[in-house]
Amino acid sequence: MSEFSIIENYFQGRSFQRRDVALGIGDDCAITDIPEGQSLAVTTDTLVNGIHFPESTPPILVAQKAVAVNLSDLAAMGAEPAWLSLSLSIPEHDEQWLHEFSLGIQQMSEYYSVQLIGGDTVKGPLSITITAHGFIPKDQALTRSRAKPGDLLYVSGSLGDAALGLDICKGLVHAHPSHKNFALDRLNNPSPRVLVGTMLRRIASSCIDVSDGMLSDLKHILYASQCGALVHVDKLPLSHAMTQTVSAEQAYQYALNGGDDYELLFTVPESLKGQLELALVNANVSATCIGQIAGLNEKLRLTLDGEAYTTEINGYDHFEEECSE
Ligand code: ADP
Ligand code: MG
């Protein structure tokens, strides 16, 4: 089967179709329209076989995760997702794999109303690169750099479940089957917080998605905003599966340093707290206040039941070993 028949059989005309796409898959470029008054947000993420997902991961989950991690980046900027492009490197033409993978892309595309508008297909080690495009009303993007001392620090959903799932997978932690299923689902099928992101425009002062570990991602906000922060470890949102499976101390470690959560971590000026709470209720979304931004040049401090709490920050970094001095 040629490259062209792969594209035709598995990708062309199979995703959600949007009216703002004048020309989709099939020509040298896609042609799309950006609505008036909106800015375009663009992000790219790559998943490599054996690094970002185990070799044995079902292709439908690989596809869903590849889309989800990109939509999570759009969500973190307050962007509404619109289009995807997919660069696919596959070692061989495996019809079953392609069928299931394309189904995963199709399902995400339908669920989030995004259209696959192009890409590239090459032979090589299994790797998936997706570029996602979204819209943000002009000047309303949520960045990392505008947190201010006194702002409240929130996180959506619960923390650490994906890292717990990974340890369950590796046989390092034993869990009740229902908790195992929950944690594995959080690992393999993350839900990008697209609605929360768009809802936070005009409310949050800064925002980031939690992909490397909460503390590690919080540090990006603090660095970009030149602030410190106080985090109440006892306030971290933990799932039922988490609290029923590991000790409190282990749960805190998963929540502070576990990767792959794809929740949103954001700051809100105290004066907008009421507005945030109303928006959360209206959207039926949960978010928890876990601390507060501290003054210029202050450090990141953690407390547990009012006492200082110390921990290492072990966020995931691909180049850590090569770059450490
Ligand atoms: P070109 O050689 O002109 O770059 P290609 O042969 O790579 O074009 O691709 C033909 C068309 O199919 C283009 O519209 C391209 O965007 C699209 N395409 C290629 N691979 C994929 C893919 N994996 N998913 C979606 N669209 C793809
Ligand atoms: Mg090409």
Side-chain angles (χ1 to χ4, degrees), residues 18 32 39-46 63-77 79-87 105 108-109 112-119 128-136 192 194 209:
R18 292 174 59 100
T32 58
S39 296
L40 189 65
V42 183
T43 182
T44 299
D45 260 316
T46 298
Q64 287 174 343
K65 188 156 184 173
V67 175
V69 299
N70 277 282
L71 297 189
S72 179
D73 280 323
L74 288 183
M77 302 294 291
E80 178 197 330
W83 313 310
L84 301 174
S85 87
L86 162 68
S87 178
I105 298 283
M108 291 297 274
S109 139
Y112 290 98
S113 309
V114 291
Q115 183 168 344
L116 182 65
I117 56 168
I128 299 104
T129 299
I130 287 187
T131 298
H133 304 75
F135 307 140
I136 314 177
V194 170
D209 67 321

Side-chain angles (χ1 to χ4, degrees), residues 176-232:
H176 183 277
S178 66
H179 302 327
K180 176 177 171 175
N181 286 344
F182 172 83
L184 288 187
D185 198 49
R186 294 275 286 156
L187 173 67
N188 291 323
N189 197 5
S191 316
R193 301 299 183 187
V194 170
L195 178 64
V196 186
T198 55
M199 202 190 77
L200 289 175
R201 297 171 189 160
R202 295 171 179 275
I203 296 179
S205 49
S206 73
C207 186
I208 191 168
D209 67 321
V210 180
S211 53
D212 296 332
M214 193 278 283
L215 283 182
S216 175
D217 289 315
L218 172 58
K219 287 199 99 174
H220 293 309
I221 287 185
L222 300 183
Y223 181 78
S225 299
Q226 296 285 293
C227 291
L230 178 63
V231 172
H232 304 294

Side-chain angles (χ1 to χ4, degrees), residues 263-319:
E263 294 295 346
L264 295 185
L265 180 69
F266 55 96
T267 58
V268 174
E270 236 172 337
S271 59
L272 296 182
K273 188 178 173 204
Q275 213 172 310
L276 170 73
E277 279 166 8
L278 196 63
L280 290 171
V281 170
N282 284 339
N284 195 19
V285 161
S286 83
T288 309
C289 181
I290 59 166
Q292 198 160 20
I293 297 299
L296 202 72
N297 302 323
E298 273 189 52
K299 291 214 164 107
L300 168 59
R301 288 188 302 123
L302 308 180
T303 65
L304 177 63
D305 300 325
E307 308 266 320
Y309 180 88
T310 48
T311 184
E312 284 182 22
I313 299 179
N314 303 319
Y316 191 68
D317 180 345
H318 283 275
F319 294 99

Side-chain angles (χ1 to χ4, degrees), residues 99-166:
H99 171 71
E100 289 176 30
F101 179 84
S102 64
L103 214 58
I105 298 283
Q106 202 181 320
Q107 285 176 358
M108 291 297 274
S109 139
E110 296 283 345
Y111 189 83
Y112 290 98
S113 309
V114 291
Q115 183 168 344
L116 182 65
I117 56 168
D120 201 12
T121 308
V122 299
K123 194 168 185 169
L126 179 59
S127 141
I128 299 104
T129 299
I130 287 187
T131 298
H133 304 75
F135 307 140
I136 314 177
K138 274 200 196 308
D139 304 319
Q140 286 186 30
L142 301 169
T143 63
R144 301 176 179 186
S145 59
R146 295 199 195 116
K148 293 275 176 302
D151 286 357
L152 300 171
L153 179 65
Y154 282 83
V155 70
S156 64
S158 58
L159 287 172
D161 300 317
L164 174 68
L166 189 61

Side-chain angles (χ1 to χ4, degrees), residues 3-4 7 11 24-28 86 88 116-121:
E3 177 191 336
F4 304 106
I7 297 164
F11 300 112
I25 295 173
D27 213 312
D28 291 313
L86 162 68
L88 184 60
L116 182 65
I117 56 168
D120 201 12
T121 308

Side-chain angles (χ1 to χ4, degrees), residues 2-13:
S2 70
E3 177 191 336
F4 304 106
S5 45
I6 291 179
I7 297 164
E8 241 174 51
N9 284 346
Y10 298 106
F11 300 112
Q12 200 159 12

